[in-house]
Amino acid sequence: MFKIGDHPAWAEKDWNDNTWERRIKYVPDGQIFWSRTKIDILTAPEEFRPYGLQIDPYAEYEIFWDGVLIGENGNPGQEAELPPEGELWITYGIPRHLATEGEHVLALRLSNYYFPDHVGRYELEIADYDDLLTDLLIKTSYMHVFAGAFLIISIYFLFLFLNNRKEYPTLIFSICCFLIFALVLTVFSKDYVPVHYSLHVIRLQIINSFLLGISFLIPYYFSIQFPYPRRGLSLILYAALLIFFWLKDGHAFDFKTVSMVLSMWCFSFGMVAYGAYKNVRGARLVLGTLLLSIAVFLASGFVVSMYTGMGLILLGMLYLLTLNIKAQRLAYENSLVQSTRLRLELLKKNIQPHFLMNTLTSLLDWVEESPKKGVLFIEALAKEFDLFNQIEDQTLIPIAQEIALCKTHLEIMEYRKEINYTWEEEGIELEQKVPPAILHTLLENGITHSLPLEENNIKFKLIFESADDHKSYTFLTFANVASQTTIKEEGTGLKYIKARLTESYGAKWELDAERVNHGWKNVIKIYH
């Protein structure tokens, strides 16, 4: 029961408070007001084990038990003149001779100068004094172990992200873990850090801000793992809904908390359920953790269920991350195998018996007929081998090095086939890089499947073009093409080129090869 005003007799046990109000919404100008609560003690305390009282009014106050002052917290009625004193969440001992069996009255003389519209919203608990303190310690220690685990996980996955900055789900998971750590620390630090009631609203705003971040990031994480139609629009609408709850009813913090947490669960459930429907790996297990979290909510209080539920949801998120990490490890191992295979393919291109036999046969002829040209032939062959040796273990090489390899190969083939090969370039940017021997492979295909023009000449032209979203290399062969020659899309040469492009650019490339009037046209597009 509440009444605005101040009279020392209102602390007495037998004072008639029947005309008092059950609720006061506002106390103007920091006036004194009183509250009286009737309490029945069913069993007197044991010897040397007094009862204790935990209470958290948003005010500075004096506390009376049956008219006897048993505690003070601040300076009620003097808050405008004196600095803030006292704190929330204090445990008081009830003198054993006052805690007899029967009815008692707890009276509070209060003033809430800093919080005039927050009257009567406080919790009251009476139990064994030692048990009250011990339970508080145990609960706080458990929650800080809980928070510490999330801090360690947050730091670990932050380091994982820093080592691979393309993995944004890892960063989101790290931030979620850190926000839960900060949330738990802020909520339970009240048990050992003195907080004046004037700071309580700021504390609750900080708590709700952490919850706002958690409530958005968890569904956002699931939206990345389980993509669905109109994802961007739904996330914008969901963010607007959360901000609406966060801004609504300035001091309705319980409403904000419940609204944001339930919204988070519903949106997450919808996304994971869609993933399960689409048979996305890991979705069904995560769906099970979400259902388990709602079961915990129905079986326990909101506070317990909130932290337990968040822990279960983050376990589901962690499970998805482990699946991704496993997939990345397997992809990395496959890439090592692929890289080794490509190196072997490049080595085969360099020392294939057919190429060596024909080249050495031609070399013998040139040495016998024209020793000087034979020496030049040997130098060209040595230069090509040297270039191959330089690039065999590279993923990307400068375009200038690739062009040098092509020109050297043309020198060799001129000696072998006694055909005039010419090379032209257009728009080449020397700082660009390409996978090794892809243009060399197109050159070999052009030589193999082409006949010289009337002047015993075959010309090759490389054109580089750059656009906003891609760059392209156009490789043209000017020659006669035998009528029976066709494009083999899965020939050894094109397979090598595709494998090299995939190794360096993933799926962000295109390769088109076609026969045209002047010979052959090959276009490689690489997207940014």
Side-chain angles (χ1 to χ4, degrees), residues 218-424:
I218 288 178
Y220 179 61
Y221 174 90
F222 286 132
S223 74
I224 295 175
Q225 300 290 352
F226 309 113
Y228 57 91
R230 298 184 180 179
R231 171 175 166 264
L233 177 61
S234 67
L235 287 173
I236 291 173
L237 294 175
Y238 175 61
L241 177 66
L242 289 179
I243 293 173
F244 170 76
F245 288 141
W246 187 66
L247 297 175
K248 182 177 172 58
D249 294 338
H251 292 164
F253 293 105
D254 290 343
F255 167 79
K256 294 180 181 183
T257 299
V258 173
S259 299
M260 288 191 289
V261 170
L262 290 181
S263 298
M264 174 194 71
W265 189 91
C266 292
F267 270 77
S268 298
F269 182 83
M271 295 170 187
V272 177
Y274 180 82
Y277 171 73
K278 291 293 185 178
N279 291 322
V280 179
R281 186 179 57 174
R284 291 179 180 175
L285 189 143
V286 178
L287 190 65
T289 63
L290 287 171
L291 293 173
L292 182 59
S293 69
I294 202 66
V296 173
F297 172 76
L298 296 174
S300 60
F302 178 76
V303 175
V304 173
S305 64
M306 182 177 72
Y307 293 113
T308 305
M310 284 184 179
L312 290 170
I313 292 172
L314 285 173
L315 281 176
M317 295 168 67
L318 180 60
Y319 173 69
L320 293 177
L321 275 183
T322 58
L323 290 180
N324 290 341
I325 291 172
K326 179 181 178 181
Q328 290 171 5
R329 178 176 57 80
L330 292 175
Y332 174 71
E333 292 175 354
N334 289 334
S335 71
L336 289 179
V337 174
Q338 175 77 352
S339 180
T340 302
R341 187 178 68 81
L342 291 174
R343 288 177 62 186
L344 291 174
E345 288 289 333
L346 191 59
L347 186 62
K348 283 169 60 180
K349 291 168 69 66
N350 188 17
I351 61 172
Q352 54 180 302
H354 179 71
F355 172 79
L356 284 178
M357 182 183 67
N358 291 338
T359 301
L360 292 175
T361 300
S362 300
L363 179 58
L364 287 173
D365 293 339
W366 279 107
V367 169
E368 291 177 355
E369 295 177 9
S370 177
K372 290 184 178 180
K373 288 189 176 182
V375 171
L376 294 177
F377 192 176
I378 293 172
E379 289 176 350
L381 187 61
K383 184 178 179 182
E384 184 173 39
F385 286 165
D386 181 57
L387 287 170
F388 269 117
N389 186 55
Q390 292 176 29
I391 68 175
E392 66 171 345
D393 59 347
Q394 302 296 315
T395 302
L396 293 171
I397 62 172
I399 186 67
Q401 197 171 18
E402 179 74 5
I403 292 174
L405 181 64
C406 292
K407 289 181 177 180
T408 303
H409 190 68
L410 288 180
E411 289 182 38
I412 295 171
M413 298 310 294
E414 280 190 356
Y415 287 112
R416 273 189 51 187
K417 294 183 175 288
E418 299 186 33
I419 296 175
N420 297 320
Y421 294 103
T422 58
W423 175 273
E424 294 183 1

